[in-house]
Amino acid sequence: MFLIGKYKVIEQLYRSAYTVVYRAKPEDSNSASDTVILKLLNEEFPSPESMARFRREYELTKMANSASIIKTYDLFRYQNTLVIAQEDFDGVSLAELFESFALPVEQFLPLAIRIAEALDDLHRFDVIHKGINPSNLLFNQSTNEIRIIDFGLASEIPLELNQFLDLAKVEGSLAFISPEQTGRINRPIDHRSDYYSLGMTFYQLLTGTTPFQSADPMQWIHWHIAQEAEPPEKLNPTVPGTLSKIVMKLLSKTAEERYASLSGLIHDLKRCWKQFQASGDVGQFEVSSKDISSKLQIPKTLYGRTADLNQLIAIFDKTVQGEKALLSVVGPSGIGKSCFVRELSKPLLVKRGFFIEGKFDQLDRSTPYSCFISAIKDLIAQILGLDDLRIVKWKETILHALGKNGKLITDVIPELEPIIGPQPEIQTSSSAETKNRFNVTFQSFVRAFCSTDHPLIISLDDLQWADLASLQLVEQLMQDAAIGHILIIVSYRDNEVNSLHPVSMLLKSLSQQSATVSKIELQPLSLDDIKHFLSDTFQCEEGHTTQLAERCLTKTLGNPFFLTQFIKHLNKQWLIQFDHLSNTWCWDIDKIDQQHTTDNVIDLMVEK
């Protein structure tokens, strides 16, 4: 027995590469029941980032003060690390209780309702857990209580677009993460990410297994994004069809197709349980019939882009077959160029390719290759997320491509060094020669990632602010006859690029050289597009949105970014609100017309 702060350690409960968990009791206590759980970082000298995340975990758990959330008492320093003291709930994780064991319906339904209600309690604090799985759900069988634990990945709403997942830190949870949480698709994370993880948890409880098995983290990611699960009723015939539909709705690949609210899910589960208690069968009914979110949820679907997307996919397919192409995506600010281009991330993942992106900065035009460097860092992050064997193979490939000039790349992209190791010094030469050698070496580096097995998409955003060196590099990549299986997408604001702009000169030059150059010009949304958007947002018939859509079109001129901002503004001003009595979203067009608002959303954004 030893001391951690003022606590005497009784036993070790859990140890991973990152944390250690002990059961302990206060040093001055003689009561056997007066115990706590101590969680601390399993590092002798934790990094500042690890300490900050651990402190944030404590703050979020402390903030979510609910009977369904594990209670947190204290955060204190111990030696070189931090310790979180929590309640000893005397529960056992569902992973331990029901490992490889399929629950019968009469046990599953009351447990599922409690879990959904616990998660609903958490979401009321605008906290996303991002780690819902059987290991993080404690169940006290004597009291039938549930506690949600381990907020190491949790964060508050709203979230920015997610980054690539650190596979090492969620190794035990890979079977339960949502597609958007992988960082490989064009979707931000919100509370519906937890719905997917909840669906996976339900799936395992009903069938005794997860729908996919692999030791390869990238296989898990590919499955979550691109492969549909077998319905639970096919793996376990005792699972009722309606209950299977509920789980499969939670497991929808896109967040908009999952439940919109946990209240809708809880309604369906309770209906199943009530009918099962009455007749021994959950019966057949339409799931999610009472499902509508009282929180404003802006869909992330692209509207009015069907023809443009078809053209984009056709160009991508030719790249997969071995062609090299440059595509320019143009339109004013807020039209959705970046979101449109990122739609390629999902089909590219299916082809085992790489999608990397960078963005030019209006205030940093003096730094050569800044956008390319950002994109390559993106690529390196993807490689580092692979298993050790694949990293070694990429090391060999990259070293072969760079030859003796590796230091030219690692000097500007030091993140590459953990993969290929320190590179030998290169004899200094004139700046012109160094630039040429860098361009040649960079071309070889890019060429290493372009193959039938690994097509490459490079997205360069805000090209209107590109430095000349980067534009020249684009031209050289397009002129390199040895490079195939590559698509370079350049996005820019065409209203800022005239015929004499360097971007126009580049595209004209490439066209004259018979390079494959295409263009997609994104147009504002039509009235029908806006009606479709509003119908999805407020979960109602399109015809009900006509008058509101007309006002939105007048104010925003069909600009997608401005449209979402305008809707958020109306909601904040209580001109659009959720009516809990009728369980519908409502608005008063007369009040919207009478409200003193700006003539257009651009002025609104300036005011904000």
Side-chain angles (χ1 to χ4, degrees), residues 24-43:
K25 64 179 181 179
E27 185 180 10
D28 56 359
S29 173
N30 293 318
S31 172
S33 61
D34 190 13
T35 58
V36 298
I37 300 298
L38 301 181
K39 179 179 179 180
L40 61 157
L41 291 168
N42 188 21
E43 301 175 75

Side-chain angles (χ1 to χ4, degrees), residues 463-464 492-504:
L463 195 70
Q464 72 274 3
Y492 60 91
R493 303 174 186 175
D494 52 344
N495 58 318
E496 297 184 21
V497 174
N498 59 30
S499 60
L500 298 179
H501 193 284
V503 171
S504 299

Side-chain angles (χ1 to χ4, degrees), residues 94-95 129-137 172-173 176 197-198 201 204:
L94 297 184
H129 189 275
K130 296 197 291 184
I132 294 296
N133 64 67
S135 296
N136 290 333
L137 296 168
S173 307
F176 301 90
S197 301
L198 182 64
T201 300
Q204 185 174 47

Side-chain angles (χ1 to χ4, degrees), residues 6-264:
K6 62 182 181 181
Y7 299 98
K8 293 185 292 185
V9 171
I10 300 172
E11 60 179 327
Q12 178 180 301
L13 300 178
Y14 174 77
R15 179 182 290 269
S16 71
Y18 299 97
T19 58
V20 187
V21 178
Y22 298 104
R23 175 173 280 117
K25 64 179 181 179
E27 185 180 10
D28 56 359
S29 173
N30 293 318
S31 172
S33 61
D34 190 13
T35 58
V36 298
I37 300 298
L38 301 181
K39 179 179 179 180
L40 61 157
L41 291 168
N42 188 21
E43 301 175 75
E44 187 175 356
F45 296 100
S47 67
E49 292 79 10
S50 295
M51 298 278 273
R53 280 195 299 269
F54 203 65
R55 188 180 297 277
R56 187 63 178 149
E57 176 181 351
Y58 165 77
E59 291 170 351
L60 288 175
T61 313
K62 190 76 173 176
M63 180 183 70
N65 184 20
S66 165
S68 303
I69 314 302
I70 200 73
K71 290 182 175 59
T72 299
Y73 301 134
D74 194 13
L75 175 74
F76 60 91
R77 279 192 168 274
Y78 172 69
Q79 296 178 354
N80 300 311
T81 188
L82 291 172
V83 181
I84 295 176
Q86 297 178 323
E87 70 168 317
D88 189 357
F89 173 58
D90 195 26
V92 182
S93 75
L94 297 184
E96 293 180 61
L97 281 175
F98 307 120
E99 184 178 8
S100 303
F101 176 74
L103 285 178
V105 175
E106 61 269 22
Q107 281 185 258
F108 170 80
L109 282 171
L111 180 61
I113 292 168
R114 291 189 187 94
I115 296 171
E117 288 176 338
L119 186 58
D120 193 30
D121 283 345
L122 174 63
H123 285 177
R124 293 181 197 279
F125 295 95
D126 284 339
V127 174
I128 312 170
H129 189 275
K130 296 197 291 184
I132 294 296
N133 64 67
S135 296
N136 290 333
L137 296 168
L138 300 184
F139 182 48
N140 188 316
Q141 291 178 289
S142 60
T143 63
N144 285 329
E145 291 180 291
I146 284 285
R147 291 286 192 279
I148 300 175
I149 65 169
D150 196 350
F151 284 67
L153 296 174
S155 57
E156 289 181 274
I157 301 173
L159 286 180
E160 298 297 326
L161 196 65
N162 49 327
Q163 297 179 338
F164 280 95
L165 185 71
D166 188 340
L167 300 178
K169 293 181 180 175
V170 292
E171 186 175 353
S173 307
L174 277 174
F176 301 90
I177 61 171
S178 66
E180 57 270 26
Q181 200 177 333
T182 67
R184 267 73 175 181
I185 64 171
N186 178 30
R187 291 291 184 272
I189 299 172
D190 61 23
H191 53 278
R192 290 170 295 185
S193 177
D194 283 346
Y195 296 2
Y196 183 92
S197 301
L198 182 64
M200 276 293 175
T201 300
F202 285 174
Y203 195 106
Q204 185 174 47
L205 292 175
L206 284 168
T207 66
T209 185
T210 53
F212 184 73
Q213 303 292 327
S214 177
D216 180 3
M218 291 305 295
Q219 283 282 356
W220 276 111
I221 289 175
H222 178 268
W223 180 86
H224 284 301
I225 293 174
Q227 189 172 332
E228 295 293 336
E230 285 282 344
E233 60 185 318
K234 289 195 174 182
L235 272 69
N236 181 2
T238 66
V239 176
T242 301
L243 190 54
S244 186
K245 289 178 182 177
I246 291 173
V247 174
M248 293 305 292
K249 185 170 182 63
L250 289 168
L251 293 181
S252 297
K253 300 301 182 185
T254 58
E256 288 80 9
E257 294 177 1
R258 298 171 203 153
Y259 276 88
S261 66
L262 282 171
S263 60

Side-chain angles (χ1 to χ4, degrees), residues 462-498:
D462 282 333
L463 195 70
Q464 72 274 3
W465 297 326
D467 57 282
L468 289 177
S470 294
L471 294 178
Q472 290 170 0
L473 187 53
V474 170
E475 185 170 20
Q476 288 174 336
L477 287 172
M478 289 301 297
Q479 290 173 337
D480 189 343
I483 294 182
H485 299 283
I486 183 172
L487 172 60
I488 300 176
I489 304 178
V490 294
S491 307
Y492 60 91
R493 303 174 186 175
D494 52 344
N495 58 318
E496 297 184 21
V497 174
N498 59 30

Side-chain angles (χ1 to χ4, degrees), residues 284-351:
Q284 297 289 329
F285 61 86
E286 182 184 354
V287 302
S288 73
S289 60
K290 300 293 185 181
D291 179 38
I292 183 167
S293 177
S294 60
K295 294 183 178 180
L296 180 64
Q297 295 178 171
I298 302 296
K300 304 305 177 184
T301 307
L302 292 184
Y303 295 89
R305 302 283 183 248
T306 302
D308 296 324
L309 280 172
N310 290 338
Q311 183 182 350
L312 181 65
I313 296 297
I315 296 171
F316 164 72
D317 288 340
K318 291 180 180 178
T319 301
V320 172
Q321 296 166 11
E323 292 191 13
K324 171 177 56 184
L326 184 142
L327 170 66
S328 59
V329 178
V330 303
S333 176
I335 202 69
K337 298 184 292 296
S338 299
C339 291
F340 174 75
V341 171
R342 290 192 189 113
E343 286 297 300
L344 276 181
S345 56
K346 183 174 179 178
L348 184 65
L349 182 70
V350 175
K351 300 296 183 181

